[in-house]
Amino acid sequence: MFRQHHTALRAIFPITILAIGMVVAFASGGAAARDERDRYKPFYLRDIQVGEYTLPFSPVTVVVMIVSMIMLNGIIFNSPKSTATASHILLDDKDAKSRLTEMKKEINGDYGKFQAMAREHSKCPSGKAAGGSLGTFKPGMMVPAFDKAIFEKENKVGDAIGPIQTNFGWHLIWIENRNLVQ
């Protein structure tokens, strides 16, 4: 077994040495030929030299990459987003869903009543302080079920929505303002 491997290595060794020699010869000859070609290229198309190292791209490539990154950054991070301003009443006890359903009937489209009930019944600090106001926010800033209820086109602005269940409890939501961006 050892003899078979030894014989195979004997056969491969000269080929390996020959291949390494060719690579070294080609690289040195190839570098000279590349230097000759680079001499006739305009500076903005040549590879960038940093000390003894050559970076494999030209100044034009760098400029194109920078401009592309700036444009992509503007598209991703500055694109218009949907926004909404909403208030809610949060209950987290056993009969929360049924209590919120009753409150919704009593509110009957009156935002003043909604705010009064939020101050009186909501378990959320925003309910006590600001009549349930959560301020203005974008999609993804609230828990998924809450986001879905607020940013669905079918749910009307200026009306009570819910009860909606989240990991915090049951919510009755009032969308004060909504700007949907497609």
Side-chain angles (χ1 to χ4, degrees):
M1 179 107 168
F2 176 73
R3 285 185 182 254
Q4 290 173 344
H5 290 295
H6 186 61
T7 307
L9 287 174
R10 274 186 164 173
I12 294 173
F13 186 73
I15 295 171
T16 305
I17 295 298
L18 180 64
I20 291 171
M22 289 174 62
V23 166
V24 169
F26 179 75
S28 62
R34 186 175 60 239
D35 289 343
E36 187 66 27
R37 284 192 312 262
D38 281 350
R39 193 165 15 134
Y40 295 105
K41 284 183 181 178
F43 77 94
Y44 54 86
L45 293 177
R46 295 183 196 152
D47 290 345
I48 297 174
Q49 292 270 283
V50 178
E52 61 184 54
Y53 299 102
T54 301
L55 302 176
F57 40 84
S58 68
V60 170
T61 307
V62 172
V63 169
V64 168
M65 287 173 29
I66 290 170
V67 169
S68 298
M69 289 172 62
I70 290 169
M71 290 173 62
L72 189 59
N73 183 32
I75 291 169
I76 292 174
F77 296 109
N78 295 330
S79 61
K81 303 265 189 217
S82 297
T83 58
T85 304
S87 298
H88 76 135
I89 300 171
L90 170 67
L91 299 179
D92 59 359
D93 51 5
K94 293 178 184 174
D95 61 339
K97 185 177 180 180
S98 61
R99 286 181 52 208
L100 286 173
T101 304
E102 289 301 316
M103 285 183 199
K104 184 176 179 180
K105 289 176 189 173
E106 190 177 326
I107 290 168
N108 195 26
D110 183 353
Y111 185 54
K113 286 183 182 178
F114 184 93
Q115 288 180 311
M117 288 192 171
R119 283 189 192 97
E120 185 179 339
H121 300 287
S122 185
K123 301 297 181 191
C124 181
S126 70
K128 301 289 182 197
S133 179
L134 296 168
T136 302
F137 49 91
K138 297 176 182 177
M141 292 177 71
M142 301 291 175
V143 293
F146 203 90
D147 257 6
K148 184 179 178 190
I150 299 244
F151 291 103
E152 273 188 2
K153 289 180 185 180
E154 294 79 33
N155 292 333
K156 296 178 185 176
V157 173
D159 200 9
I161 301 166
I164 306 291
Q165 186 177 22
T166 69
N167 53 331
F168 296 105
W170 288 90
H171 303 262
L172 195 59
I173 303 169
W174 187 282
I175 303 173
E176 299 168 38
N177 187 7
R178 180 175 59 200
N179 178 23
L180 294 176
V181 177
Q182 300 298 326

